[in-house]
Amino acid sequence: MIRFILNEKTIATELPPGMVLLDFIRYHQHLTGTKIGCREGDCGACTILVGELSNDELSYHSATSCLMPIGNAMGKHIVTVEGINFPDTLNPVQQAMADCGATQCGFCTPGFVMSLAGFCLSNAKATKENAIAAIDGNICRCTGYKSIEKAAVMITEQLQGKKDAIPFVTEQKILPAYFAGIKGRLQQLGGQIKASALKDVAALQERPHFVGGGTDLYVQKHEEMKDAAIRFLLDHPEMNSISKEGNRCVMGPSVTVSDLMASPIIATAFPEFHHYAKLVSSTQIRNMATIAGNFINASPIGDFTIFFLALDAQLILSDGATTRELPLRKLYKGYKILDKQSGEHIEKIWFELPDKNTFFHFEKVSKRTHLDIASVNSAIRLKMNGDVIADAGLSAGGVGPVPMYLEKTSSFLKGKKITEQVIAEAIEVMKTEISPISDARGTKEYKTLLLGQLIKAHFIGLSAKAVFKTPVH
Amino acid sequence: MKATSFIVQFLYSPLGGGGQNIDSYTHVRGESVYLDDIPVVNGTLYAAAFDSPVAHGKIVSLDTNEAIMMPGVVSILTANDIPGENQIGGIIPDEELLAGTHVHFCGMPIALVIAETDEAARAAVKKIKVVIEPLPVITDPREAKEKGELIIPPRTFQLGDTTTAWSQCEHIFEGRADTNGQEHLYIETQGAYAVPQENGAIRIYSSTQGPTAVQRTAARVLGVSMNQIEVDTTRLGGGFGGKEDQATTWGVMVALAAYHLKKPVKYCLHRMEDMRMTGKRHPYSSDFKIGLSNDLKIIAYEATFYQNAGAAADLSPAVMERTLFHCTNSYFVPHVKATAYSCRTNLPPNTAFRGFGGPQGMFVIEAAIAKAAEQLGIPATDIQQKNFITDR
């Protein structure tokens, strides 16, 4: 039984937990404001809001309902466009969209309205940049976006003075008053779910499919997943934590990209993290996609896999009874072949936080800057001892059947001083350990050249961070 | 404010009719009714097309035995089930609804599965087997022209006399410019819903830019008079030309199914089906020759356009005409000769798309100006400004 709140209504359904929320909303609840555009999380026409309790705080984020199984809605508040309508008037988001001519054919419009409503409910500062960033996962083919940007700016004006989002939006009549009572309802619902969930522990073991955010799985296999026996990883709060233990950062398996973006531990360790994260998919997808899922998906160009490979992240794998530790770089045995048993899942991820002598840099090149798969991506970690590299970790994606930790190049760099000559030699070493193929994202020659340039870009980027005494050009 | 007062306020506002969209109120509330939002009638069946996996060939055999046995499957229709004419061509009758003996592009519909659910219909599509004897495939419009594969005879637009004008030119440049296709990507995919009415009539809800084309073509395919077919278009979630002629296919398909089964039949395409089976903006390959005077006046311009029409005419002749009309963009050129070939290839029939051939024509003269500017070592804007059409 899956229980959640949909707009104002409590839902309890026996429908397959693998069914996507989009189909549940449209074809079982007959709420047709949420549109189907691509079913791949690209267009944003099916954007909804997800409200959840964490440490007894209610917060909302946007998500694409086409990639979200109803199992992941368990215990949450799901909001569709119908759930933010006032009976006889437009809310300020809707009014701004109408006033600015930000809707033409209207098909993408509910998705934009929901992303902007999510912005109103978020704790992000009410700036033009943040408002526009909130709609980075929505495509409009009619307007050319300028009118939508104007609407976004108009909305920020109404959010000045926002501190505590939920009381603010209800008092200012930006969103309906029932939002004020959701926290209490979710607390009550959480208790009911806990009571009934206990009975299911044994049954859980018999479900072979682990689902995190589902953002790639539901693109590839949405028909199969509907009736699959699934173990959902998102509805356990303890799996969602990011903590500091000594010099280690420890993450639960359901930590999403947005969780990392919001973490002060990550912000301190990687001052440019926001910039890196914005090169990866869109707001809605970052809100859903987990880091562990990125690892297990084993895409050779998985952006965060490349990021954490350079950090030499370690995995704790569990089959429910026993656990074992495995370096991320040892997980990949071949294209989509993992050193993981079918019953095992990632229980924890940990990595050493960079100290004051350790520097980190990430680069990604794709055909489009945003919302695109990398042609080649790469990350580097350098621990410096004066002007000598004491330790190095270099990773690269798109240059082999698996996301690669460049072992030879990393050890070549160890003990060297950084000079143009050393960088040039490192690039030659790199060429001996990659095996790119020619495909839609470039020829193998192009990808090899590109990775060489990204390695140079790493050192240029690091020199800007004052790692080196003499800048590298 | 209430919907009615919203509209009243809008009509009397200084912006009324000028820039605001009269439909905004329901759009922003998610209350506008698009094709897939129309409440379905009890007993509605769902269709899905089985399309050609190869670009050109002769159908040797079609095996639907396994598919028809799939749970929930009601019927599978092929060209043999068409009571009227198997013909959906709008300007030129050269396109079948369902492939008869031959397939002409990858994605050409061959059969239509009708089932109790959307999922069942798509699952059955995967069980259909076809054997196709491959025939030579053409994708390059220049190759099609060489082989005489033209949709209509070539057309030439002329002004002045280019043959004598070249001698007046100080600078002459020649070159080739190609533009690629483009997917419409209306966010709402193609779709239609047919509901049988009394006395054999059929109402087709269609996400179409051309309701009359749907009506006329459905009547032709079903062999009934036009008054038996009613077309209702509630809204379009984007069209951009892609639903001008190409929405007809799906409207007629569901009408055919409703005709046979006497049940409402609906088909909303998945994005991948839509991208695979429907035509796009026409790719063009073109040659140009441009002649300028010393003071950068364009004296003469010649262009030859090879339009990649795809496997059937669709709207290609009209698109081609628009290319010729726009071939000098916003410049006055006294001597012009432009020739266009609409070339038949084995791609999905290309169709209307914002600009309707105009951009493809304008791009070539801009490419010619860019080349001239580069060769002369001057900014292209110098040439552009010298040649704008003026009121004088």
Side-chain angles (χ1 to χ4, degrees):
Chain A
M1 177 80 78
I2 296 160
R3 296 165 205 264
F4 58 97
I5 302 171
L6 175 61
N7 300 329
E8 241 187 304
K9 182 175 155 187
T10 305
I11 302 282
T13 177
E14 296 281 10
L15 282 163
M19 168 188 273
V20 293
L21 197 49
L22 175 60
D23 288 338
F24 178 79
I25 291 166
R26 284 186 61 82
Y27 303 123
H28 292 268
Q29 294 295 313
H30 308 291
L31 297 172
T32 54
T34 307
K35 304 300 181 193
I36 302 174
C38 67
R39 287 188 179 273
E40 293 196 355
D42 269 332
C43 75
C46 68
T47 300
I48 49 141
L49 300 180
V50 180
E52 59 186 317
L53 286 176
S54 178
N55 298 326
D56 233 23
E57 284 297 318
L58 173 61
S59 66
Y60 284 87
H61 64 253
S62 58
T64 52
S65 58
C66 65
L67 301 182
M68 182 171 170
I70 52 175
N72 271 350
M74 180 79 113
K76 293 173 185 165
H77 181 211
I78 304 299
V79 190
T80 69
V81 68
E82 291 85 355
I84 61 164
N85 282 340
F86 287 100
D88 293 319
T89 78
L90 297 183
N91 71 37
V93 172
Q94 294 167 328
Q95 191 67 53
M97 290 285 284
D99 287 349
C100 296
T103 172
Q104 285 185 25
C105 86
F107 201 78
C108 69
T109 305
F112 276 94
V113 167
M114 292 314 289
S115 288
L116 288 168
F119 170 66
C120 296
L121 275 168
S122 77
N123 291 319
K125 263 194 194 147
T127 64
K128 177 187 166 188
E129 290 71 24
N130 286 343
I132 291 171
I135 49 175
D136 63 6
N138 295 81
I139 293 175
C140 170
R141 292 288 281 168
C142 299
T143 59
Y145 298 105
K146 283 296 152 194
S147 52
I148 301 174
E149 285 182 16
K150 277 182 206 154
V153 172
M154 192 182 270
I155 292 157
T156 60
E157 286 159 15
Q158 311 213 23
L159 296 177
Q160 300 308 319
K162 176 178 82 169
K163 274 193 190 87
D164 200 353
I166 296 165
F168 183 87
V169 296
T170 47
E171 279 157 24
Q172 300 290 313
K173 295 197 166 34
I174 293 171
L175 295 179
Y178 79 87
F179 273 82
I182 292 295
K183 186 175 169 180
R185 289 178 63 184
L186 285 182
Q187 284 165 333
Q188 204 183 353
L189 189 64
Q192 290 169 12
I193 290 168
K194 241 180 201 164
S196 66
L198 289 172
K199 300 168 202 150
D200 291 328
V201 173
L204 268 184
Q205 304 295 334
E206 282 161 31
R207 299 181 189 174
H209 296 280
F210 291 100
V211 172
T215 53
D216 196 67
L217 196 61
Y218 275 86
V219 172
Q220 311 292 342
K221 301 183 178 175
H222 107 262
E223 283 167 357
E224 276 172 61
M225 290 310 294
K226 186 182 164 192
D227 296 310
I230 300 173
R231 287 174 71 178
F232 293 97
L233 298 170
L234 283 192
D235 53 355
H236 308 282
E238 73 280 6
M239 289 182 161
N240 198 26
S241 71
I242 304 169
S243 61
K244 203 176 158 187
E245 294 174 13
N247 60 347
R248 285 182 180 184
C249 177
V250 183
M251 305 188 290
S254 65
V255 166
T256 64
V257 180
S258 296
D259 290 335
L260 286 183
M261 291 172 87
S263 161
I265 299 168
I266 298 295
T268 311
F270 308 98
E272 287 172 83
F273 190 81
H274 259 255
H275 166 71
Y276 302 146
K278 290 209 162 176
L279 297 175
V280 182
S281 66
S282 64
T283 296
Q284 289 96 316
I285 303 298
R286 289 191 295 263
N287 287 340
M288 303 161 78
T290 64
I291 301 301
N294 197 259
F295 293 172
I296 296 299
N297 186 37
S299 162
I301 37 80
D303 289 309
F304 280 98
T305 308
I306 295 307
F307 186 97
F308 284 102
L309 272 173
L311 292 166
D312 199 14
Q314 307 291 311
L315 312 176
I316 311 291
L317 292 167
S318 164
D319 63 2
T322 57
T323 60
R324 65 184 174 114
E325 188 164 315
L326 183 75
L328 176 59
R329 65 192 144 83
K330 300 274 187 207
L331 179 65
Y332 305 105
K333 301 203 302 193
Y335 180 70
K336 301 252 174 184
I337 302 171
L338 303 178
D339 180 3
K340 181 186 98 68
Q341 303 302 310
S342 62
E344 283 185 315
H345 72 277
I346 296 179
E347 198 176 71
K348 261 183 201 167
I349 301 163
W350 70 264
F351 63 95
E352 242 173 66
L353 285 161
D355 61 20
K356 65 181 186 350
N357 295 318
T358 303
F359 300 89
F360 182 86
H361 194 74
F362 174 77
E363 289 281 346
K364 171 179 177 176
V365 175
S366 45
K367 289 192 170 180
R368 293 183 299 184
T369 308
H370 299 281
L371 305 168
D372 203 358
I373 292 170
S375 297
V376 176
N377 49 10
S378 178
I380 195 168
R381 169 184 52 90
L382 286 185
K383 188 178 171 76
M384 300 300 294
N385 181 6
D387 56 358
V388 173
I389 301 172
D391 192 19
L394 179 66
S395 60
V399 289
V402 299
M404 295 187 78
Y405 178 77
L406 299 177
E407 196 118 34
K408 289 183 193 170
T409 320
S410 300
S411 53
F412 169 82
L413 286 168
K414 239 173 159 176
K416 303 276 192 316
K417 282 188 181 178
I418 297 166
T419 64
E420 279 181 52
Q421 179 66 25
V422 164
I423 295 167
E425 285 172 25
I427 289 169
E428 291 309 310
V429 177
M430 168 276 282
K431 286 178 188 170
T432 66
E433 60 177 332
I434 63 169
S435 52
I437 53 166
S438 298
D439 62 14
R441 292 184 277 276
T443 62
K444 57 184 180 184
E445 292 80 13
Y446 171 72
K447 290 176 187 174
T448 306
L449 176 66
L450 196 52
L451 181 54
Q453 299 305 99
L454 294 189
I455 291 175
K456 290 180 192 167
H458 282 321
F459 284 96
I460 293 169
L462 292 173
S463 87
K465 292 170 196 165
V467 183
F468 323 119
K469 298 205 169 68
T470 46
V472 179
H473 295 289
Chain B
M1 80 199 77
K2 285 187 194 272
T4 44
S5 63
F6 179 86
I7 292 166
V8 169
Q9 187 218 29
F10 158 81
L11 287 173
Y12 291 95
S13 77
L15 284 172
Q20 270 196 341
N21 183 346
I22 196 164
D23 298 322
S24 298
Y25 186 85
T26 53
H27 282 359
V28 298
R29 294 170 63 88
E31 291 170 349
S32 299
V33 179
Y34 300 84
L35 188 101
D36 194 33
D37 305 334
I38 298 167
V40 290
V41 178
N42 253 346
T44 291
L45 301 172
Y46 295 82
F50 169 75
D51 59 300
S52 174
V54 302
H56 191 201
K58 182 173 184 292
I59 300 175
V60 178
S61 67
L62 182 69
D63 177 1
T64 57
N65 291 328
E66 196 187 345
I68 195 77
M69 298 307 290
M70 295 278 287
V73 174
V74 175
S75 176
I76 299 178
L77 302 174
T78 66
N80 295 332
D81 300 302
I82 291 173
E85 213 184 324
N86 185 10
Q87 187 48 250
I88 58 166
I91 345 183
I92 298 170
D94 69 346
E95 190 180 356
E96 292 173 334
L97 176 71
L98 295 167
T101 57
H102 289 75
V103 290
H104 301 283
F105 62 93
C106 202
M108 181 172 181
I110 297 173
L112 188 70
V113 175
I114 299 99
E116 285 162 2
T117 66
D118 190 42
E119 290 101 333
R122 286 198 169 83
V125 161
K126 291 182 186 159
K127 301 291 181 190
I128 296 180
K129 294 176 201 80
V130 69
V131 178
I132 297 173
E133 187 183 305
L135 289 169
V137 172
I138 301 175
T139 56
D140 174 9
R142 289 177 190 256
E143 184 190 341
K145 187 248 168 188
E146 284 309 310
K147 293 184 172 158
E149 289 288 342
L150 297 179
I151 300 278
I152 53 164
R155 293 200 63 178
T156 298
F157 281 20
Q158 284 191 83
L159 177 69
D161 181 4
T162 51
T163 50
T164 55
W166 298 117
S167 60
Q168 302 163 36
C169 302
E170 285 296 326
H171 310 287
I172 297 174
F173 303 100
E174 291 180 74
R176 173 176 160 165
D178 289 12
T179 48
N180 245 324
Q182 187 185 10
E183 166 61 40
H184 300 84
L185 218 111
Y186 23 71
I187 308 279
E188 178 207 36
T189 53
Q190 303 266 8
Y193 181 29
V195 183
Q197 309 291 304
E198 290 176 345
N199 297 314
I202 296 173
R203 173 183 293 166
I204 308 171
Y205 296 96
S206 170
S207 176
T208 178
Q209 292 174 263
T212 306
V214 177
Q215 185 192 24
R216 190 192 299 121
T217 314
R220 181 183 201 168
V221 170
L222 299 184
V224 301
S225 58
M226 272 176 77
N227 69 339
Q228 290 287 85
I229 306 290
E230 189 184 322
V231 177
D232 191 351
T233 299
T234 55
R235 288 188 181 282
L236 273 81
F240 318 119
K243 294 175 183 171
E244 189 165 331
D245 235 26
Q246 303 233 337
T248 303
T249 312
W250 322 108
V252 177
M253 268 187 198
V254 290
L256 176 69
Y259 172 93
H260 281 291
L261 303 170
K262 314 273 180 263
K263 288 276 174 65
V265 179
K266 183 173 166 178
Y267 185 16
C268 290
L269 275 69
H270 275 193
R271 178 63 60 189
M272 289 305 179
E273 293 172 338
D274 190 308
M275 289 178 77
R276 192 170 69 238
M277 295 195 263
T278 67
K280 329 245 170 267
R281 183 187 292 284
H282 292 81
Y284 273 60
S285 182
S286 311
D287 297 318
F288 62 78
K289 184 175 176 184
I290 191 168
L292 296 95
S293 68
N294 246 344
D295 63 349
L296 304 179
K297 281 279 186 193
I298 304 171
I299 307 289
Y301 176 64
E302 282 183 3
T304 308
F305 300 101
Y306 301 92
Q307 178 200 51
N308 192 336
D314 196 277
L315 293 160
S316 297
V319 171
M320 182 181 94
E321 212 167 58
R322 190 77 175 261
T323 301
L324 291 168
F325 278 121
H326 286 263
C327 75
T328 52
N329 199 1
S330 8
Y331 310 111
F332 177 71
V333 183
H335 303 284
V336 181
K337 184 183 177 192
T339 301
Y341 298 90
S342 183
C343 311
R344 188 184 288 111
T345 64
N346 299 111
L347 298 179
N350 287 317
T351 193
F353 197 148
R354 281 182 171 182
F356 205 72
Q360 290 97 319
M362 294 181 239
F363 182 81
V364 178
I365 194 166
E366 290 301 333
I369 289 170
K371 178 154 190 179
E374 190 190 354
Q375 299 276 314
L376 294 170
I378 54 167
T381 46
D382 289 3
I383 302 176
Q384 290 167 327
Q385 280 166 359
K386 276 267 160 61
N387 291 283
F388 281 139
I389 295 169
T390 59
D391 286 339
R392 287 171 285 120

